Amino acid sequence: MHTKSLLPLLMIIVLLCILPAACTAVAAPVGEASEPARLILATTTSTQDSGLLEYLLPDFEKAYNAKIEVIAVGSGQALQTGKDGNADVLLVHSPAAEKTFMEEGHGVRREDVMYNDFVIAGPESDPAKINGLTSAVEAFKAIASAQALFVSRGDDSGTHVKEKSIWKAAGIEPSGGWYFQAGDSMGAVLAMSDEKSAYTLSDRATYLALAKKGLALKVMVEGDPVLFNPYGVIAVNPAKSAKINNGLANRFIDWIISVPVQEKIAHFGNEKFGQSLFVPDSGPWKAANP
Amino acid sequence: MQQIWQGILQGLRLLFTGDPALWRIILLSAKVSGAALLISAVMGIPLGAILGLVKFPGKRLIQAAIYTGMGLPPVVVGLAVYLLLSRNGILGPLNLPWVPELFTVPAMVLAQVILATPLVAGYTMTAVAEVDPALRLQMQSLGASHAQSLLAVLREAHLGVIVALVGGLGGIISEVGAVMMVGGNVEGSTRVLTTAIMLETRRGNFDLAIGLGFVLLLLAFLINVGAAHLLGKEH
Amino acid sequence: MAPVFRLESAKKSYAGRTVVDIDRLEIDPGEFLAIVGPSGAGKSTLLRLLNFLEYPDSGKIYYAGQASSPALPLELRRQVTTVFQRPVLLRDNVENNVAYGLRLRGLRDCHAEVRAVLGRLGLGKLHRAQARSLSSGEAQRVALARAIVLQPAVLLLDEPSANLDPYNIGLIEDMLREIHQAGRTTVLLVTHNIFQAKRLAQRTALMLEGRIIEISPTSEFFENPRDRRTRAFVNGEMIY
């Protein structure tokens, strides 16, 4: 048959690829009556990557018949998603940017949630001799003067912003062959630093997760209050879009700052790493644990 | 090296133990890219055929646009679609029922359609242009109308059109920039293979990431084997 | 009898160069006309004009009393077909290639007709062969088969046996004679082979630089040419 050639062949190949699509594509976006309410949470990658959200959120989803859609991106992008009205609630760690966000009216409510901390990690050989220093600024000065290799996130993430603020406090404009700007995720930057035997600034959660998988870098400096990394939760201004679910966002905020959930946050990581990754810090928690 | 083997083994184990999360991710990848390919085929094949066969003013400009579109960085397309669909973007505020919301499957399909259509149209255009130009005249001489002779050329080029579809599918099933930006990698609803790989890499689960990468590779390989089988039957 | 084709001051040019410029030409129904001439004389363009694949820039070409134009109905167009010097076959088997024109005309079941024509051209055993696997002689016979299976009112042939071996030339010429003698088909053969024209045609014309120089009964054309250029061409003395 002459007419056989084109159409059936195309049909076969297309069908092979999209068999599942054909069945479900139409049904997928349509909601059912009993479908849970949708809450879009834009957050930084650290909360997702550490596993904290998977550990916390199912309780909320069950209690409030909600489905939380987690959009885990860089801090800057998470705030921008809120500004665009594309998220209901934000969980981020950029205090200065959060302040501006609130002042400009993009958010209607902000609460402290918790903090984790940054550590300066480096190779065991410690060429800049910073091990045990209590000041992050002093440690950065030592790294710069020793011209020891340092890998920066270089991506304007919260971690990168923190790193730049420490350089600034040290009065150093880092540049030169010893200073790499990776433009990549924390995990990738830690792996790169490990390969290069370089120093880097990392959040504790990602560091611990990778250390458990055989990362050779050691914690050199920790505990300096400069290295604390506070997380805030923000309800996006519902005036931005009729689709923003402000009611559920408020319930989420009430829930995450409540004492039982804060307690749960305090225990996160104990089992896996032998230490907590986040320190609870909400108003109700502080009131209950003065 | 050992990590790579461990990853591949883990990928195979998840695949064959029917890990529901993995299969959901694979099915969603197939669903998103398959639907995008279908739409791209409906638009791109006729467009490519017309550009390959018909002369009209402005054709070179459109051809140049398509060649440019074939090399669009996915993340740029993702950003453009984000701004298009954003609640305070271009289409979002209009609240039209057919405009998908961000962080949903239809939004991902839209982004991939934009990526795949130039690929399908471009490859189709090349395939059609490679058919002997004398064929159309000879078919017309045998009594083919204008449309019938175009159909004959398209039929002659159908191997190239299959290559166009496989190329388009390969281009979108492996991209991460656009689906990450407009899909958001939401677990259970918009997480596909590539964004899952990205997440596991970020988390430092390199072996799981490699395993997922292996699954993606396997999928691409199967698609190509299927296409090669179809092409082989013709020879 | 009314002519099948009538050309009146028909001109065709490409990029300012006049390729066909025929003041007056009539082709009678049922005749076998050969057009000879050197390469570049405009013979192939004339055939494309006569098959309604192109249209004259000025002047008229009438087919069955109707002027050739893009508006010419498909039924009339389908009465004329061409066998080209370099046949392009579909990427399909021989049988489907020959059936193509019949299927365009809505004939679904044309097995018998196709087989009969293939048999007459010595292609009976090749009906399932892929077109790409054919020799050039076989391919040209398939091209002839797909044309004559349509039983056209006018059969145009553009150097159908150039580059072929004597066996294939013989087969094709026998077929052309047979079609012509059946009486329903007007045959117009373009060739640069004057001996082929002599063997087959009732009338022969010399075409040079787009113009018909001389047209006369074949015997007269070869034995008693009126124009000195015809004389030169027939005697192989023309320099081109």
Side-chain angles (χ1 to χ4, degrees):
Chain A
M1 262 306 287
H2 194 90
T3 42
K4 68 150 203 276
S5 337
L6 186 64
L7 268 181
L9 275 178
L10 291 185
M11 294 306 270
I12 290 168
I13 191 162
V14 168
L15 278 180
L16 278 179
C17 311
I18 61 146
L19 211 55
C23 315
T24 45
V26 183
V30 183
E32 284 142 41
S34 63
E35 191 167 300
R38 183 174 174 225
L39 183 75
I40 301 178
L41 168 66
T43 181
T44 60
T45 49
S46 52
T47 57
Q48 182 176 54
D49 297 355
S50 61
L52 175 70
L53 295 179
E54 279 165 29
Y55 165 82
L56 287 181
L57 299 187
D59 290 350
F60 180 83
E61 292 185 324
K62 226 175 285 164
Y64 292 86
N65 186 32
K67 164 87 179 78
I68 300 184
E69 304 203 336
V70 177
I71 315 294
V73 287
S75 268
Q77 195 183 340
L79 286 166
Q80 185 62 43
T81 307
K83 272 186 204 170
D84 293 339
N86 290 320
D88 303 306
V89 65
L90 313 177
L91 181 59
V92 287
H93 60 89
S94 304
E98 285 170 52
K99 192 161 172 267
T100 317
F101 187 91
M102 295 304 292
E103 279 165 5
E104 287 173 357
H106 302 301
V108 288
R109 180 182 175 195
R110 185 196 171 283
E111 300 279 355
D112 291 330
V113 178
M114 60 192 183
Y115 64 86
N116 67 347
D117 64 341
F118 291 105
V119 298
I120 301 174
E124 204 146 24
S125 59
D126 192 18
K129 302 273 172 290
I130 62 166
N131 197 3
L133 290 181
T134 51
S135 160
V137 171
E138 291 307 316
F140 270 37
K141 280 182 183 163
I143 291 169
S145 67
Q147 303 260 300
L149 297 181
F150 186 95
V151 183
S152 163
R153 288 284 293 275
D155 61 352
D156 274 321
S157 60
T159 311
H160 187 213
V161 170
K162 173 67 77 180
E163 180 211 314
K164 283 193 290 192
S165 75
I166 300 174
W167 286 119
K168 202 171 166 203
I172 294 165
E173 186 91 37
S175 65
W178 58 277
Y179 186 74
F180 295 92
Q181 300 229 41
D184 211 333
S185 67
M186 196 69 252
V189 166
L190 278 168
M192 197 189 293
S193 307
D194 205 20
E195 297 278 340
K196 288 179 177 294
S197 289
Y199 293 99
T200 191
L201 183 73
S202 170
D203 64 280
R204 187 182 293 274
T206 313
Y207 168 79
L208 285 175
L210 265 86
K212 213 169 166 257
K213 289 180 195 294
L215 191 79
L217 293 181
K218 295 279 177 282
V219 171
M220 295 286 154
V221 177
E222 60 186 329
D224 184 344
V226 165
L227 294 175
F228 287 173
N229 180 35
Y231 283 75
V233 64
I234 295 175
V236 175
N237 189 343
K240 288 181 175 294
S241 164
K243 288 173 183 159
I244 290 175
N245 193 341
N246 182 245
L248 195 58
N250 265 314
R251 278 193 288 283
F252 177 77
I253 292 176
D254 291 338
W255 173 81
I256 202 166
I257 64 174
S258 69
V259 175
V261 177
Q262 292 276 306
E263 195 116 24
K264 216 175 158 185
I265 290 173
H267 289 114
F268 175 66
N270 276 344
E271 213 172 286
K272 202 169 168 191
F273 305 111
Q275 55 180 291
S276 299
L277 297 184
F278 296 94
V279 181
D281 189 30
S282 77
W285 169 264
K286 279 188 283 197
N289 302 276
Chain B
M1 196 60 212
Q2 206 193 337
Q3 212 164 23
I4 293 176
W5 283 120
Q6 270 173 5
I8 291 173
L9 281 178
Q10 184 166 0
L12 283 173
R13 195 164 55 235
L14 290 174
L15 209 53
F16 289 112
T17 53
D19 181 72
L22 177 66
W23 277 101
R24 198 167 54 229
I25 289 170
I26 293 175
L27 284 182
L28 188 67
S29 271
K31 185 166 124 179
V32 170
S33 297
L37 182 70
L38 184 69
I39 298 168
S40 301
V42 168
M43 299 193 296
I45 292 174
L47 181 64
I50 289 168
L51 287 171
L53 291 174
V54 185
K55 283 184 191 141
F56 57 89
K59 175 174 161 172
R60 285 186 175 240
L61 213 64
I62 298 179
Q63 279 177 330
I66 283 183
Y67 285 131
T68 311
M70 290 173 83
L72 275 181
V75 66
V76 172
V77 172
L79 190 56
V81 173
Y82 175 92
L83 293 174
L84 193 71
L85 301 183
S86 171
R87 286 172 180 172
N88 285 308
I90 299 159
L91 291 177
L94 306 177
N95 275 320
L96 300 170
W98 48 268
V99 174
E101 278 220 57
L102 278 177
F103 314 131
T104 61
V105 168
M108 296 159 83
V109 172
L110 174 64
Q112 293 205 336
V113 165
I114 293 172
L115 284 168
T117 303
L119 288 171
V120 173
Y123 287 129
T124 302
M125 184 164 79
T126 314
V128 162
E130 272 170 6
V131 173
D132 193 326
L135 179 90
R136 242 182 106 189
L137 223 54
Q138 300 202 2
M139 295 303 113
Q140 281 176 20
S141 137
L142 291 169
S145 66
H146 219 71
Q148 284 167 329
S149 71
L150 285 181
L151 204 66
V153 173
L154 205 54
R155 203 179 281 153
E156 284 295 289
H158 75 265
L159 298 182
V161 174
I162 291 176
V163 172
L165 291 178
V166 173
L169 189 60
I172 53 179
I173 202 156
S174 59
E175 72 84 21
V176 62
V179 283
M180 186 74 209
M181 189 78 203
V182 303
N185 188 30
V186 176
E187 196 216 338
S189 77
T190 64
R191 182 166 300 167
V192 291
L193 274 170
T194 51
T195 56
I197 291 169
M198 206 166 137
L199 173 68
E200 296 309 335
T201 306
R202 233 168 44 201
R203 284 179 164 173
N205 295 330
F206 288 175
D207 45 359
L208 183 54
I210 282 281
L212 289 168
F214 178 71
V215 171
L216 180 62
L217 212 62
L218 203 66
L219 201 62
F221 180 71
L222 287 177
I223 291 166
N224 278 290
V225 166
H229 179 68
L230 281 180
L231 297 181
K233 264 206 282 201
E234 294 279 314
H235 284 284
Chain C
M1 217 176 343
V4 183
F5 275 107
R6 197 171 78 240
L7 283 73
E8 291 177 0
S9 314
K11 275 197 187 187
K12 181 79 189 172
S13 19
Y14 296 119
R17 202 174 74 87
T18 303
V19 184
V20 167
D21 181 1
I22 293 175
D23 203 32
R24 195 175 167 75
L25 173 65
E26 290 189 351
I27 300 168
D28 298 325
E31 81 161 312
F32 197 132
L33 172 66
I35 296 181
V36 296
S39 313
K43 306 184 300 281
S44 296
T45 307
L46 175 61
L47 287 194
R48 284 201 297 277
L49 288 167
L50 295 179
N51 203 168
F52 324 114
L53 300 172
E54 296 187 45
Y55 307 99
D57 298 331
S58 63
K60 293 276 186 216
I61 297 176
Y62 293 99
Y63 173 71
Q66 291 213 35
S68 168
S69 80
L72 192 75
L74 200 58
E75 292 80 6
L76 282 181
R77 292 167 181 273
R78 285 182 170 170
Q79 294 175 7
V80 183
T81 190
T82 307
V83 177
F84 295 86
Q85 178 176 357
R86 189 179 60 86
V88 180
L89 301 179
L90 294 167
R91 193 191 280 269
D92 207 329
N93 65 29
V94 166
E95 193 165 356
N96 286 331
N97 264 286
V98 176
Y100 179 76
L102 291 174
R103 293 207 176 109
L104 287 177
R105 287 159 176 77
L107 209 66
R108 287 284 128 208
D109 184 25
C110 45
H111 206 65
E113 292 93 321
V114 170
R115 287 296 178 87
V117 170
L118 286 176
R120 282 162 72 192
L121 279 163
L123 294 165
K125 283 181 183 157
L126 288 173
H127 67 280
R128 285 266 160 234
Q130 282 298 311
R132 268 166 305 165
S133 67
L134 302 178
S135 71
S136 59
E138 288 162 347
Q140 189 57 283
R141 278 185 276 147
V142 170
L144 183 59
R146 71 180 177 182
I148 63 177
V149 78
L150 305 172
Q151 301 189 322
V154 180
L155 179 62
L156 308 173
L157 303 124
D158 191 357
E159 309 271 15
S161 60
N163 314 321
L164 293 188
D165 55 278
Y167 169 76
N168 272 299
I169 295 177
L171 268 174
I172 288 173
E173 288 188 1
D174 285 348
M175 192 69 202
L176 293 181
R177 256 186 226 105
E178 208 178 297
I179 295 161
H180 178 241
Q181 274 155 15
R184 283 190 303 271
T185 305
T186 307
V187 184
L188 202 159
L189 170 70
V190 158
T191 179
H192 60 246
N193 180 344
I194 54 170
F195 302 105
Q196 189 169 49
K198 214 170 176 175
R199 284 197 294 271
L200 296 169
Q202 294 165 311
R203 282 204 299 166
T204 300
L206 173 67
M207 199 169 172
L208 211 57
E209 291 170 341
R211 296 165 189 275
I212 301 284
I213 300 299
E214 174 167 355
I215 179 164
S216 32
T218 301
S219 55
E220 205 179 310
F221 184 90
F222 284 102
E223 282 149 30
N224 214 351
R226 291 190 302 270
D227 194 285
R228 64 176 172 76
R229 287 166 292 184
T230 313
R231 218 162 19 242
F233 188 76
V234 167
N235 295 332
E237 292 159 2
M238 181 170 277
I239 295 156
Y240 48 79

